[in-house]
Amino acid sequence: MKKIIPWLLYFGIASTLQAQAQTAPDARSLAASCAACHGTNGNAQGSMVTLAGTPQQVIAQKMQDYKAGRVPTATVMHQLAKGYTDDEINAIAAYFAAQKK
């Protein structure tokens, strides 16, 4: 019985960690979809908005504004933002905030 308990604990912890990994948004993968317009790692070229190094709160609020329709002149951003959960928006915002300009 003593040999079984450590294995049960191990598998219980491992399955919990695996479940958390599957539910946590993968910020880098989510942010990759932004690269077409905002550049690799948020370093835009030309007149597009650069996201790299922008504070997380600023990016998250702007995305929430797009999602809620509070930005009337949006092109495709309002549709894209609606496709993300709040957790995903926060993960994307944190990812770009951590990038160097």
Side-chain angles (χ1 to χ4, degrees):
M1 183 68 167
K2 288 183 180 181
K3 292 181 180 180
I4 294 174
I5 292 175
W7 283 106
L8 291 175
L9 289 173
Y10 169 78
F11 285 115
I13 291 170
S15 64
T16 300
L17 292 175
Q18 183 180 10
Q20 288 175 347
Q22 290 174 348
T23 59
D26 179 12
R28 185 175 180 162
S29 294
L30 293 169
S33 64
C34 306
C37 297
H38 295 284
T40 303
N41 295 325
N43 289 294
Q45 302 297 314
S47 63
M48 186 53 69
V49 175
T50 293
L51 300 176
T54 302
Q56 178 180 355
Q57 298 84 355
V58 172
I59 296 171
Q61 183 60 55
K62 191 70 166 181
M63 287 288 289
Q64 291 295 346
D65 289 344
Y66 282 123
K67 186 175 180 176
R70 291 187 290 263
V71 182
T73 59
T75 55
V76 299
M77 281 304 302
H78 62 286
Q79 293 292 18
L80 294 172
K82 289 178 184 178
Y84 294 112
T85 66
D86 292 346
D87 287 342
E88 290 171 333
I89 287 173
N90 289 328
I92 292 168
Y95 176 82
F96 283 122
Q99 302 306 305
K100 293 182 181 181
K101 287 186 179 183

